Amino acid sequence: MTMPPPLLVFTDLDGTLLSHTSYRWDAATQALDILRDIGAALVIASSKSAPEIIEIRAQLGWTNCPAIIENGAGILPPESTDTPKTETYVRLRRALDSLPANLRDPFCGFGDMTVAQIAQITGLSHSGAANAAERAFSEPGIWSGSAQLRAAFIDALHDHDIHAREGGRFLTLSYGRTKADQMAALTDAFAPRHTLALGDAPNDIEMLQAADFGVIVANPHRDPLPPMPGEDTGRITRTALAGPAGWNTAVLDMIARLNLNEGATKHG
Ligand SMILES: [Mg+2]
Protein backbone atom coordinates (compact mmCIF):
# COMPACT_ATOMS: atom_id res chain seq x y z
CA MET A 1 0.00 0.00 0.00
CA THR A 2 1.52 3.25 -1.06
CA MET A 3 0.58 6.80 -0.16
CA PRO A 4 -0.92 8.98 -2.89
CA PRO A 5 2.11 10.60 -4.57
CA PRO A 6 2.58 14.36 -4.15
CA LEU A 7 3.25 14.56 -7.90
CA LEU A 8 2.33 12.28 -10.80
CA VAL A 9 4.52 12.95 -13.84
CA PHE A 10 3.52 11.87 -17.35
CA THR A 11 6.35 12.07 -19.83
CA ASP A 12 6.90 11.50 -23.50
CA LEU A 13 10.28 9.93 -24.37
CA ASP A 14 11.78 10.87 -27.76
CA GLY A 15 12.72 14.56 -27.87
CA THR A 16 11.42 15.00 -24.31
CA LEU A 17 13.08 12.83 -21.62
CA LEU A 18 15.38 11.26 -24.24
CA SER A 19 17.64 13.36 -26.41
CA HIS A 20 16.33 13.56 -29.99
CA THR A 21 19.78 12.70 -31.31
CA SER A 22 21.51 10.45 -28.75
CA TYR A 23 18.49 8.85 -26.98
CA ARG A 24 20.28 9.57 -23.65
CA TRP A 25 18.73 11.09 -20.54
CA ASP A 26 21.81 11.76 -18.35
CA ALA A 27 21.01 15.48 -18.29
CA ALA A 28 17.77 14.70 -16.38
CA THR A 29 19.38 12.54 -13.66
CA GLN A 30 19.12 15.17 -10.93
CA ALA A 31 15.39 15.73 -11.40
CA LEU A 32 14.74 11.97 -11.70
CA ASP A 33 16.55 11.37 -8.37
CA ILE A 34 14.61 14.11 -6.59
CA LEU A 35 11.29 12.79 -7.95
CA ARG A 36 12.14 9.46 -6.30
CA ASP A 37 13.11 11.17 -3.04
CA ILE A 38 9.82 13.04 -2.75
CA GLY A 39 7.76 9.91 -3.51
CA ALA A 40 6.54 11.07 -6.91
CA ALA A 41 5.37 8.63 -9.58
CA LEU A 42 6.63 8.71 -13.16
CA VAL A 43 4.53 7.35 -16.02
CA ILE A 44 6.17 7.04 -19.43
CA ALA A 45 3.67 7.89 -22.19
CA SER A 46 4.96 6.97 -25.61
CA SER A 47 4.10 5.69 -29.06
CA LYS A 48 6.62 2.90 -28.50
CA SER A 49 5.62 -0.75 -28.12
CA ALA A 50 5.94 -2.82 -24.94
CA PRO A 51 9.43 -4.34 -25.51
CA GLU A 52 10.94 -0.89 -26.05
CA ILE A 53 9.24 0.58 -22.98
CA ILE A 54 10.12 -2.41 -20.79
CA GLU A 55 13.80 -1.84 -21.53
CA ILE A 56 13.81 1.94 -21.08
CA ARG A 57 11.60 1.86 -17.95
CA ALA A 58 14.00 -0.63 -16.31
CA GLN A 59 17.06 1.46 -17.24
CA LEU A 60 15.38 4.55 -15.81
CA GLY A 61 14.54 2.61 -12.62
CA TRP A 62 10.78 3.25 -12.68
CA THR A 63 9.50 -0.33 -13.05
CA ASN A 64 7.22 0.33 -10.04
CA CYS A 65 5.03 2.59 -12.22
CA PRO A 66 2.71 1.67 -15.10
CA ALA A 67 3.51 3.03 -18.57
CA ILE A 68 1.27 4.23 -21.39
CA ILE A 69 2.31 2.45 -24.59
CA GLU A 70 1.42 2.45 -28.29
CA ASN A 71 0.37 6.12 -28.15
CA GLY A 72 -2.28 5.53 -25.50
CA ALA A 73 -3.82 2.39 -27.00
CA GLY A 74 -2.76 0.38 -23.94
CA ILE A 75 -1.05 0.15 -20.54
CA LEU A 76 2.06 -1.75 -19.48
CA PRO A 77 1.46 -2.72 -15.84
CA PRO A 78 4.08 -2.04 -13.12
CA GLU A 79 6.88 -4.65 -12.90
CA SER A 80 5.70 -6.36 -16.10
CA THR A 81 8.56 -7.64 -18.27
CA ASP A 82 6.42 -9.13 -21.05
CA THR A 83 4.33 -7.64 -23.79
CA PRO A 84 0.76 -7.64 -22.40
CA LYS A 85 -1.11 -10.74 -23.53
CA THR A 86 -4.35 -9.31 -24.80
CA GLU A 87 -6.96 -10.25 -27.34
CA THR A 88 -7.00 -6.65 -28.55
CA TYR A 89 -4.41 -6.93 -31.31
CA VAL A 90 -5.73 -10.28 -32.53
CA ARG A 91 -9.26 -8.86 -32.63
CA LEU A 92 -8.06 -5.79 -34.51
CA ARG A 93 -6.23 -7.88 -37.12
CA ARG A 94 -9.24 -10.14 -37.51
CA ALA A 95 -11.52 -7.15 -38.15
CA LEU A 96 -9.01 -5.78 -40.66
CA ASP A 97 -8.91 -9.09 -42.53
CA SER A 98 -12.70 -9.21 -42.65
CA LEU A 99 -12.86 -6.09 -44.86
CA PRO A 100 -13.50 -6.46 -48.59
CA ALA A 101 -10.31 -6.86 -50.62
CA ASN A 102 -10.57 -3.45 -52.33
CA LEU A 103 -10.34 -1.81 -48.86
CA ARG A 104 -8.04 -4.31 -47.17
CA ASP A 105 -5.36 -4.67 -49.85
CA PRO A 106 -4.06 -1.06 -49.99
CA PHE A 107 -3.32 -1.17 -46.22
CA CYS A 108 -0.03 -2.79 -45.28
CA GLY A 109 0.19 -3.07 -41.48
CA PHE A 110 3.22 -4.05 -39.38
CA GLY A 111 1.52 -7.47 -39.09
CA ASP A 112 1.69 -7.80 -42.89
CA MET A 113 5.40 -6.91 -43.06
CA THR A 114 8.61 -8.77 -42.34
CA VAL A 115 10.95 -7.31 -39.71
CA ALA A 116 13.30 -6.33 -42.56
CA GLN A 117 10.50 -4.34 -44.23
CA ILE A 118 9.66 -2.60 -40.94
CA ALA A 119 13.34 -1.74 -40.47
CA GLN A 120 13.41 -0.29 -43.96
CA ILE A 121 10.34 1.95 -43.65
CA THR A 122 11.05 3.12 -40.08
CA GLY A 123 14.83 3.44 -40.29
CA LEU A 124 15.11 1.34 -37.11
CA SER A 125 17.78 -1.31 -36.59
CA HIS A 126 16.75 -4.94 -37.06
CA SER A 127 16.27 -5.45 -33.31
CA GLY A 128 14.48 -2.11 -33.00
CA ALA A 129 12.14 -3.12 -35.80
CA ALA A 130 11.53 -6.50 -34.15
CA ASN A 131 10.53 -4.67 -30.97
CA ALA A 132 8.30 -2.24 -32.87
CA ALA A 133 6.60 -5.21 -34.56
CA GLU A 134 5.54 -6.67 -31.21
CA ARG A 135 2.10 -5.09 -30.94
CA ALA A 136 -0.43 -5.54 -28.16
CA PHE A 137 -3.08 -2.87 -28.82
CA SER A 138 -2.68 -1.06 -32.14
CA GLU A 139 -1.58 -1.53 -35.74
CA PRO A 140 0.50 1.05 -37.61
CA GLY A 141 0.57 0.71 -41.37
CA ILE A 142 0.97 2.36 -44.71
CA TRP A 143 -1.95 3.24 -46.97
CA SER A 144 -1.13 2.99 -50.67
CA GLY A 145 -4.60 3.42 -52.21
CA SER A 146 -6.55 6.53 -53.22
CA ALA A 147 -7.78 9.12 -50.71
CA GLN A 148 -11.36 8.17 -51.60
CA LEU A 149 -10.78 4.48 -50.82
CA ARG A 150 -8.98 5.44 -47.62
CA ALA A 151 -12.10 7.29 -46.43
CA ALA A 152 -14.18 4.17 -47.18
CA PHE A 153 -11.58 2.02 -45.36
CA ILE A 154 -11.77 4.26 -42.27
CA ASP A 155 -15.60 4.18 -42.38
CA ALA A 156 -15.63 0.39 -42.62
CA LEU A 157 -13.29 0.15 -39.59
CA HIS A 158 -15.61 2.42 -37.57
CA ASP A 159 -18.25 -0.32 -37.83
CA HIS A 160 -15.79 -2.45 -35.80
CA ASP A 161 -15.15 0.43 -33.31
CA ILE A 162 -11.67 0.83 -34.75
CA HIS A 163 -10.25 4.33 -35.17
CA ALA A 164 -7.57 5.37 -37.63
CA ARG A 165 -5.07 8.09 -36.68
CA GLU A 166 -2.82 9.82 -39.13
CA GLY A 167 0.66 10.43 -37.69
CA GLY A 168 3.70 11.10 -39.81
CA ARG A 169 3.77 8.48 -42.52
CA PHE A 170 1.69 5.91 -40.66
CA LEU A 171 -2.01 5.33 -40.40
CA THR A 172 -2.40 3.72 -36.97
CA LEU A 173 -5.46 1.64 -36.15
CA SER A 174 -6.65 1.18 -32.57
CA TYR A 175 -9.78 1.01 -30.44
CA GLY A 176 -9.46 4.75 -29.97
CA ARG A 177 -7.83 5.40 -26.61
CA THR A 178 -5.35 8.27 -26.45
CA LYS A 179 -2.51 9.18 -24.09
CA ALA A 180 -4.95 11.59 -22.39
CA ASP A 181 -7.59 8.86 -21.85
CA GLN A 182 -5.04 6.60 -20.14
CA MET A 183 -3.80 9.57 -18.16
CA ALA A 184 -7.29 10.24 -16.78
CA ALA A 185 -7.63 6.63 -15.61
CA LEU A 186 -4.17 6.60 -13.97
CA THR A 187 -4.77 9.98 -12.30
CA ASP A 188 -7.96 8.55 -10.77
CA ALA A 189 -6.04 5.47 -9.58
CA PHE A 190 -3.04 7.33 -8.09
CA ALA A 191 -5.04 10.30 -6.72
CA PRO A 192 -1.92 12.51 -6.66
CA ARG A 193 -1.84 16.04 -5.24
CA HIS A 194 -0.63 17.42 -8.59
CA THR A 195 -0.13 16.16 -12.14
CA LEU A 196 2.56 17.31 -14.54
CA ALA A 197 2.92 16.35 -18.21
CA LEU A 198 5.94 16.90 -20.46
CA GLY A 199 6.09 16.52 -24.24
CA ASP A 200 7.55 17.98 -27.42
CA ALA A 201 5.17 17.12 -30.28
CA PRO A 202 1.59 17.48 -31.56
CA ASN A 203 0.64 14.02 -30.25
CA ASP A 204 1.46 15.26 -26.71
CA ILE A 205 -0.89 18.27 -26.80
CA GLU A 206 -3.93 16.46 -25.32
CA MET A 207 -1.72 15.20 -22.49
CA LEU A 208 -0.26 18.67 -21.79
CA GLN A 209 -3.78 20.12 -21.70
CA ALA A 210 -5.15 17.40 -19.42
CA ALA A 211 -2.51 17.78 -16.67
CA ASP A 212 -2.55 20.37 -13.88
CA PHE A 213 0.70 21.66 -15.37
CA GLY A 214 2.17 21.09 -18.83
CA VAL A 215 5.70 21.59 -20.09
CA ILE A 216 6.55 21.90 -23.77
CA VAL A 217 10.11 20.66 -24.07
CA ALA A 218 12.07 22.47 -26.78
CA ASN A 219 12.94 20.34 -29.79
CA PRO A 220 15.06 22.27 -32.29
CA HIS A 221 14.60 19.41 -34.78
CA ARG A 222 10.93 20.19 -35.38
CA ASP A 223 8.66 23.22 -35.76
CA PRO A 224 7.71 24.62 -32.34
CA LEU A 225 4.20 23.76 -31.14
CA PRO A 226 1.69 26.59 -31.71
CA PRO A 227 0.75 28.81 -28.73
CA MET A 228 -1.49 26.88 -26.34
CA PRO A 229 -4.25 27.83 -23.94
CA GLY A 230 -2.67 28.06 -20.48
CA GLU A 231 0.62 29.58 -21.61
CA ASP A 232 -0.62 33.07 -20.66
CA THR A 233 -1.40 31.95 -17.10
CA GLY A 234 1.76 29.87 -16.54
CA ARG A 235 -0.12 26.57 -16.41
CA ILE A 236 1.76 25.60 -19.57
CA THR A 237 5.42 26.56 -19.87
CA ARG A 238 8.17 26.04 -22.44
CA THR A 239 11.75 25.04 -21.76
CA ALA A 240 14.67 26.98 -23.20
CA LEU A 241 16.93 23.91 -23.29
CA ALA A 242 16.15 20.92 -25.49
CA GLY A 243 15.35 17.35 -24.46
CA PRO A 244 16.53 15.97 -21.09
CA ALA A 245 18.33 19.19 -20.06
CA GLY A 246 15.08 21.14 -20.51
CA TRP A 247 13.16 18.32 -18.76
CA ASN A 248 15.54 18.50 -15.79
CA THR A 249 15.16 22.26 -15.34
CA ALA A 250 11.38 22.18 -15.78
CA VAL A 251 10.86 19.39 -13.22
CA LEU A 252 13.18 21.03 -10.66
CA ASP A 253 11.35 24.34 -11.16
CA MET A 254 7.96 22.64 -10.69
CA ILE A 255 9.09 20.86 -7.51
CA ALA A 256 10.25 24.21 -6.11
CA ARG A 257 7.10 26.03 -7.28
CA LEU A 258 4.88 23.47 -5.53
CA ASN A 259 7.12 23.29 -2.43
CA LEU A 260 7.43 19.52 -2.75
CA ASN A 261 11.08 19.11 -1.78
CA GLU A 262 10.81 19.86 1.92
CA GLY A 263 12.32 16.98 3.87
CA ALA A 264 13.68 15.27 0.76
CA THR A 265 17.25 13.97 0.82
CA LYS A 266 19.68 16.53 -0.51
CA HIS A 267 21.57 15.70 -3.67
CA GLY A 268 24.91 17.37 -3.90
MG1 LIG B 1 8.41 13.12 -28.62
Side-chain angles (χ1 to χ4, degrees):
M1 185 66 209
T2 48
M3 301 255 297
L7 182 65
L8 175 56
V9 178
F10 295 92
T11 184
D12 171 55
L13 289 178
D14 293 348
T16 299
L17 178 54
L18 307 187
S19 156
H20 180 87
T21 45
S22 70
Y23 297 101
R24 299 177 70 101
W25 64 81
D26 318 43
T29 303
Q30 191 191 3
L32 286 165
D33 286 345
I34 292 178
L35 285 175
R36 244 183 289 276
D37 286 346
I38 66 169
L42 182 103
V43 172
I44 293 166
S46 169
S47 59
K48 292 180 190 299
S49 64
E52 299 167 285
I53 299 292
I54 287 165
E55 193 179 325
I56 294 168
R57 186 176 66 173
Q59 288 168 355
L60 282 165
W62 288 90
T63 51
N64 57 323
C65 290
I68 298 170
I69 65 173
E70 296 186 28
N71 237 336
I75 291 284
L76 178 72
E79 311 301 344
S80 171
T81 55
D82 293 308
T83 297
K85 301 246 183 311
T86 70
E87 275 298 302
T88 309
Y89 184 72
V90 175
R91 188 155 51 101
L92 198 159
R93 288 285 308 179
R94 213 175 279 144
L96 187 58
D97 289 338
S98 75
L99 299 184
N102 69 321
L103 299 180
R104 174 65 182 91
D105 291 348
F107 181 80
C108 186
F110 278 21
D112 302 311
M113 299 180 199
T114 63
V115 170
Q117 285 171 317
I118 295 171
Q120 196 183 5
I121 59 161
T122 56
L124 291 167
S125 66
H126 186 87
S127 66
N131 282 341
E134 206 172 308
R135 317 299 305 175
F137 303 101
S138 64
E139 177 74 334
I142 302 235
W143 179 262
S144 57
S146 68
Q148 195 183 0
L149 266 184
R150 186 181 56 193
F153 172 72
I154 291 171
D155 271 354
L157 289 171
H158 275 161
D159 294 340
H160 297 270
D161 295 320
I162 295 169
H163 297 249
R165 269 202 153 195
E166 208 83 63
R169 88 187 88 175
F170 296 114
L171 189 63
T172 299
L173 314 181
S174 75
Y175 287 95
R177 272 168 304 197
T178 65
K179 283 183 181 181
D181 294 330
Q182 301 292 2
M183 218 181 128
L186 291 175
T187 301
D188 281 350
F190 276 95
R193 266 157 61 203
H194 310 279
T195 57
L196 168 66
L198 303 101
D200 72 312
N203 69 339
D204 299 315
I205 289 177
E206 288 163 321
M207 188 170 81
L208 298 174
Q209 288 295 348
D212 296 339
F213 300 95
V215 173
I216 301 167
V217 174
N219 184 343
H221 300 272
R222 63 160 70 241
D223 290 336
L225 291 180
M228 257 189 240
E231 283 193 74
D232 48 345
T233 62
R235 190 175 65 75
I236 305 262
T237 56
R238 289 179 191 248
T239 68
L241 299 171
W247 198 100
N248 192 63
T249 306
V251 170
L252 293 177
D253 286 352
M254 187 56 60
I255 289 169
R257 181 170 159 186
L258 297 172
N259 281 317
L260 298 178
N261 51 353
E262 280 157 29
T265 322
K266 291 281 183 290
H267 282 266

